[in-house]
Structures are given as C-alpha cells and as structure tokens.
Amino acid sequence: MTSNNKKKWLSAPYALWSAVFIIIPLCMIFYYGLTDKTGAFTLDNIVAITTVGHAKALRLSILLSLACTLVCFLLAYPLAMILANKKGNKHQFIILVFILPMWMNFLLRTLAWQTLLEKNGVINNVLTFLGIPNIKIINTPAAIVLGMVYNFLPFMVLPLYNALSKIDENVINAARDLGAGAVYTFIRITLPLSVPGIISGITMVFVPALTTFVISALLGGSKLLLIGDVIEQEFTRASNWHLGSGLSIVLMVFILFNMILSAVFDKDGEGSML
Amino acid sequence: MPKELIHLNNLSKSFDGQMVLDELNLKIHENEFVTLLGPSGCGKTTTLRILGGFAVPDAGQVIFDGKDITHVPPNLRPLNTVFQKYALFTHMTIAENIAFGLKIKKKSKAYIQDKIKYALKLVNLEGYGNRMPDSLSGGQQQRIAIARAIVNEPKVLLLDEPLGALDLKLRQEMQYELIRMKNELGITFVYVTHDQEEALTMSDTIVVMNQGYIQQIGSPESIYNEPENAFVADFIGDSNIIPATMVEDKLVSILGFRFPCVDTGFGRNRPVDVVIRPEDVELVAPSEGTLQGVVSHLIFKGVHYEMEVMAGGFEWLVHSTVLHPVGEEVGIRVDPFNIQIMNKPESEDEEAVAIDI
Amino acid sequence: MTNALKKIYIGLIIFFLYAPIGTLMVLSFNASKARTKWGGFTFKWYAALFENEEILSALFNTMLIALLSALAATLIGTVACIAMTGMKRRTKSIMMGITNIPMLNAEIVTGISLMLLYISLGIKFGIGTILLSHITFNIPYVILSVMPRMKQLNPSTYEAALDLGASHTTAFFKVVLPDLTPGILSGFLMAFTMSLDDFIITHFTKGIGVDTLSTKIYTEVKKGIKPEMYALSTIIFVTVLALLLLVNLSPEKKEQK
C-alpha cells in the first residue's frame, strides 16, 4: 500500500500506549526491586529469595508448575491429535469449548472444585455410594495441581492443535509408505514436527502455573504457600513493595527464559494460541 | 506382453454417498509406464491411494503379483509413492529423508551411504545430502521425493501429479528425466496426472478416466488417433467433434455431405459422432473440396496457423502451415483414414462433463 | 485408537472442563447455604440476586469495564495492525515482541507493575485504573486475531479499488476493512471475555470500595460465597451459551445447503 508515511503515524497511539503501560511499568519493578525504602541501591530484595520461607515457596512453585505442565501435555496431546485428524476445521469448536467456561468466573469455577473434592464433597459421596475408598486430595499439593491443570489446559491444547493440524497428511502417508509403522511414524515424524506447538504450549502453561496465587489459596489450604502467594502478600498486606518487586525480578528470570525458548523454537508463530 | 503385475479387480469406492470409483478393472504389467489421466474428481487419485494403501475400497480387490493386498497397510506394501507437493520431512536433512525407509529395513550404514549417493546421482543432485528440504527449489524437492522412494527398490513407483507444482519449462525437463529414470531402474511406474501432454509424452499406456469410469485404455498413439468417445477426443488435444450419420460401412454423412471413411460395423443410418483432428482438415480450392466454406478467424501459433472455417453450418478448427486470410473461400477435404467414428455417449452425464471441459 | 475411544476421550475432557460449571449451576438452586448439602430445590437466590445492590453494582462495573476496554483495545489494536504492515521488518518485529510481553508475562507481574506505575504517577485507584489495565492486556489479543487476517489480505484488492477510482479512504473502508472484520470481531470477543474473567490484574489495580465480580467473589471467599453469586453466574453462562449456539449453528445450516 502506498501511503507509508501516513501509516507510520498510525502506529503512534499503540507505540505510546505500550511505552507507558508495558515498558515503563516493567522498569518500575526493577527500580523498586533494586532499592530500599530510602531509595538507596540494594540487592537485599533479590537475595531475600534465599531465605528459608521464600526458597521453600519457590521450590514448591517450580515443582507444582512442572507437574502441571507435564499433566497438561499428557492430557492435551492425544486430544489435539484426535481433533487435528478429524476432517474439517475444528478450530471453531475447540475455541468454543475452551473459551466458554471463561464466562463463568474463574474463582467460582476453581472454588467449585472445593465442593467436588472436599471430604464430604460430591466425588467422595459418589465413591462411597460405589463402595470405593474415599480420596483425600483437598488441601494437598495434588489439589493445587488439579486446579492449575483445570485452568491452564486450554493454553496447551490450542497451540498443539494448531501445530498438529498444520502437518500435511501426505507427510504422514509418506512415512507409512516408506515402511514405518504407526509408532515409528509418531516418534520420528509427528512428534518432531509438532515441536513448535509443544514449546509454545509449555511456555503458555508453565508461566501462569509458576506465578499463580489464587489457586493455591482456594484449593491448597492456608499452609501451602507458593511464590505468587508470597509476592501478593508483600504487596497487599505487608505493603513492602520493594521486597515484592525484588522477588518478582527473580520470577521474571524464569519468564524471560521461557520467552527466549519460545522465540527460538517458534519463529513463525506456528504454534500460536489464536 | 510382459508379466501381469497388478490387477485391480472391480474396485468401487464412494465418499459421503458420492460414487468415486465404480467397478473399476485395470491390469498393469511389469516395467510398464501407465498413466491415469482425467479431470479432477475422475477417480484417478483415489485409484492411486487404494494402490498405495491409503484408502480401502468399498468393494473389489487389489491383486499384486498374485497376492491379494487390499487390506495390507501401506508400510508393508512393496510399492512406494511420490506425493503431490513432495511431502518431504522438513525436520530432516536430504540424506536423512532418503535414508528413512532404509533405516526401517535395518540396512547397514555402508549400504545406506552407497544408496544415498546413488540416488542423489540418479536425480542429478549430488552433494545435496546435508541440505535441508526448505533450502531447495520446487524442482529439486521433487527430485528428492523421487530419490527417497526409489532407494527402497520398489517394484512399482506410484506418482501422484508429481510435476503439478512446477513451471512449464521445468515440467518438460522433468518429463524426460522421469523417462530416463524409469529406463535406468527398469520398474513399473503408475503416474497420475490431468495434463494430457504429460501423459502423451511419457506413457506406454494411458488410462483415460472420467467420473469413476475408465473411458479408454491404450497407447498414446491410439488414444490420440482413435478416441473411442467424445470425452476422450475432447480431453486429449484439440478436435472437431461433429454429429454425423453412418450411412453404411465406409461411408459417413457429415453435415449432409458424404465422406468416405475406413470404419465398418456401425450399421446403416446410425447417428454417431466423428472426430477430425484440426491438423487433418485439408484446405483446398473450393472446387476440389467435399464442402465449401469461408475462413472466419486466423491466429498465428508459431508452428502453424490456427484457423476457423465456417462450412456446412459448423465452425471447423483447422491447423495448417499455409495461410488462408479471413474471408477467403476454401474447400474442405478429409482423408478417409483421418475420420474417426465414435458411438454416441451412453449417458447424458458423460456428455455434460465433456462439454464442461 | 478406535472412533469410540476417541469420542470417550473427548467426552472425558469436556466433562473435566464442565463439571465445576455444572456444580455451580446445581448450587444456584440449592435451598441450603452449605456448599456440600442439598437442601431442596429453590429459586430464592435468583430473587435475592436482584435485591443485592453490591452484586449488581459489581456486575455493572464488570460489564462496563469489559465493554469499554474491549472497544478501546479493538480500536488501538486494529489501527496498530494496519500501521505495522507498512513498517520495516525490524521495527515490526520489535513491535510484535512488545505485544507479546503481556501475553507471555505472568499476570501477577503485569498487575504489580501497573500498580507501581499508578502509585508513582499519583493516579487515584478506581474504575479508571482498572480500565487502563484491561485495555493494556486486551490489545495483544486483538492484534493476534487481526494480524493473521492482515497477512492473508491480498494487497492487489486495495490497489484494484484505487485503480477503479476509489479514494484511499473509500478503498480502505469498502475493501480492506470488510476483509478484516472477522478478525476484528473475534479479537473484540476475546478481549471482552478476557476482561470479564480477569481477577489477578484487577486485584492489584482496583481501588478500595470498587469491585468487579471477580474481586467481589475473592473477598467473599473467606466469609462464604453468597448463593446469589451462583445464580448470577448461571444466568450469565446460560445466556452466553444460548447466544453462541445461535451464532454457531446458523452458519452451519447455510453451509450444508
């Protein structure tokens, strides 16, 4: 199109917006994280991650978010394969099925798992009725992982589906034609070709799982603290923005690593969400 | 005739209630270059997919070398396919692509290395082994797809419109390449295309298909010179297809004018179609022609002039190296050998499709 | 896998996604206030809902913010997409990189970073700050929906319109915009949904006394959720479900013709 100068001017509102509301706020975190209350430079807020309580919370967060990512991957891959193999465009259907629950508030949906999982909850009532021993999952790390998987599964399914449905059916046929069995074809062809989707799915699930603070509060009871809970408390209850910012900087190291990973593997946005 | 290798016996296949193949029968021989030719939706690709094992027929059998392989999965069939748009493994190098089938067969490293070298030489891409597929041009990717298939020494190579995505010049070059490769390998090629020129250039046998039926099987010459019905005549090359009446053996009335011909056995006064190729229409002085007409259009085509002559109420397409300007009165003559008599199409459907194309 | 197994698997996943929603719907008709006891069927929470000023005002705030932030994000995002097509590759990839930050960054980090911004600028916390924050995290959704459409756009159609005598403005509104519309619409819907469902960022950028449904529910968690909230959620969910079915079933009929 011709009027490129006019177009450059069109980018001004968004450029300004992202500077004020994306770039500057991130700089603010670094400013607060690297200063103390008097405004003097310090690394104390970042080193604070090594204190027993904080380190424990971070360790638990990493552990649970890795578990959540793994479970999401194992659940989503077969689903994405089934949907990608179906004739016709299933994209609309998938968006519908996964976006629709968002219209019921995320806190309420997570809270509903409490009702389902509790000692006298729905699931245990059903199990008792069937004569099967009850499960004790509420207020355990397992319940938190379940809540995470429930909330973040769509972020794994969509990129996997996008990557898998882009594989030319004839490429799979070619492998079979050259003598490969179903399993060999999956390992050597389907899996490697879906790597952009896998990486994108992992980054999309791992970051929110690592940094969540509500899910743990709702399903994990008050004793299990994740790093997100710690940061949230520093901001809302303790009002120690400097410490909270410092811990956030530690989190951002993980996030940055994730961003780089997805940038390297997903250059063309092949495994993207939408 | 060499030994029969493949027998497609009464194959039928439908998708969503739409008949794609209807009791198709075809025999393919050893070392034959067979081309399945027809418009899109004629069933040629489905036939190839059934041969490769990617589709199972609703009825009928695929007999290979005397054994029924209808339900054998593709990985256990002794044939290999060159797919439309290449279907190379983009995450592997060229060498890894070619080695794929050999590794599954657990061949030794040295054997695989030798084969890769041989195959790359055969397709004129020596030294490309470490490149990635995306870095090659379309024509080169096509050659790799062929190399990847033939290293497995299949008895039959199936090719699904392999040249469809290439430009004209490259396509013509690859046609000669394919003939050379086939002669070098000494195996059977089953080739699917909608391009009649490709079919005529390369094949030993052409199978013309339309709407799930075989219209005619024959050598390129017989398909071109003696089309059995209007569909074949129209699909292969330019032609004048004129409704006519068979007066008696060796005499046909075209547009009310009597032409001697060589065909017999059509009965007396039967309506037929005649096919006359444009290069077989001779333009002579009006007094010497069987009928007279006026040149209405003239285009210079390089090797010849293409003219349209209005004569007897029909627009005759004529190819000639002699120029006759528009408006000139000419006589039309046709050698008896060049008049091809065909039965009228059996169904209206067939005719409708023929006109479409 | 056989077809039956595939269907069962899809069914199980859908059950997993919708079981909590079903639970909430059942609870909205539960006469007992306890979450795990069935006290008989009742409509009383639905009646009570319309007298609960706090919930209704939170609902109003939520809808207002979702609508305004989605509209603003759609406008800014679409204009940005158009601007980006004319950019050099490098500038464009920097812009797209920045666009991806709110998508890939943790919500808690986005939330506190905006909170710190408002504090240092001395902006008073309230509906305004929530709105600014929601626009910020909504823009990427719009850009990511519109951009693929933009790439599919055939530049020749725009030039053809100019060639046929249309002005730049006419060509844009008559030829380019209609092609982008599906992307813009789905971007808007995504943005609206995301805004509606957001808790974390709102939590950090709202002022005292201002609540959206999410933050209202969060404060209620400790005291016990009021069943009116279940009733409201059920109404919203069923309405959206009905609308979506209506929209998605009608074009299918056309295609089948």
Side-chain angles (χ1 to χ4, degrees), chain B residues 231-268:
Chain B
F231 174 79
V232 177
D234 200 48
F235 195 71
I236 312 274
D238 295 329
S239 53
N240 296 292
I241 302 171
I242 315 167
T245 311
M246 200 69 189
V247 181
E248 56 184 54
D249 278 358
K250 300 193 178 179
L251 188 65
V252 62
S253 164
I254 303 170
L255 306 166
F257 298 89
R258 295 190 166 213
F259 283 80
C261 64
V262 293
D263 294 81
T264 57
F266 282 89
R268 287 175 154 272

Side-chain angles (χ1 to χ4, degrees), chain C residues 114-133:
Chain C
L114 287 166
M115 174 182 171
L116 292 174
L117 175 80
Y118 302 142
I119 290 171
S120 7
L121 292 181
I123 300 175
K124 199 169 163 285
F125 283 82
I127 299 252
T129 47
I130 304 178
L131 194 58
L132 288 173
S133 313

